[in-house]
Amino acid sequence: MSEANTTEAPAPSETPTMSTAPALNPPAATGPPDGTPQPFHSASLYVGDLVNEVNEGLLFEIFNAVGPVSSIRVCRDAVTRRSLGYAYVNFHQVADAERALDTMNYTDIKGKPCRI
């Protein structure tokens, strides 16, 4: 037999690969002065069964009494801007969110018990 072009396939470890962009990770909260990244320790609570008149200001007054609130979002219809009857309350600390869950579930807000 004659010798034909005998090129061998590269071994799997030698197979060229396409480079990929590095994965993007969300920034971590900076902790100690040395700049060591620390994980976030915030928490979000779903608050449902709200009457349409409940707004962010009212929820802030109610939940900020439990612990510092970082933000509140009442979910609304994109066209009419009418409340969909639920919101998210975000706390800086998990312990504050847990306390709110333990103490505020089924609390009346504008005459209707909320569900957390």
Side-chain angles (χ1 to χ4, degrees):
M1 279 173 87
S2 67
E3 300 245 349
N5 187 358
T6 58
T7 56
E8 295 180 18
S13 63
E14 296 172 332
T15 304
T17 59
M18 296 182 68
S19 65
T20 59
L24 297 177
N25 295 326
T30 305
D34 66 357
T36 307
Q38 299 294 315
F40 287 114
H41 293 288
S42 61
S44 297
L45 293 179
Y46 167 90
V47 183
D49 295 342
L50 299 174
V51 297
N52 288 334
E53 293 78 28
V54 171
N55 59 31
E56 289 84 352
L58 176 61
L59 291 176
F60 184 85
E61 288 178 20
I62 293 168
F63 285 92
N64 203 50
V66 174
V69 170
S70 62
S71 64
I72 295 176
R73 175 165 305 215
V74 173
C75 297
R76 299 179 182 280
D77 181 273
V79 175
T80 66
R81 304 304 299 156
R82 182 177 169 170
S83 171
L84 296 173
Y86 66 97
Y88 293 97
V89 178
N90 303 303
F91 288 90
H92 292 287
Q93 300 294 321
V94 173
D96 295 330
E98 289 173 346
R99 187 168 40 258
L101 178 60
D102 293 339
T103 62
M104 310 251 343
N105 201 14
Y106 299 109
T107 297
D108 276 4
I109 299 177
K110 291 229 172 206
K112 186 175 179 185
C114 71
R115 183 172 44 96
I116 301 175

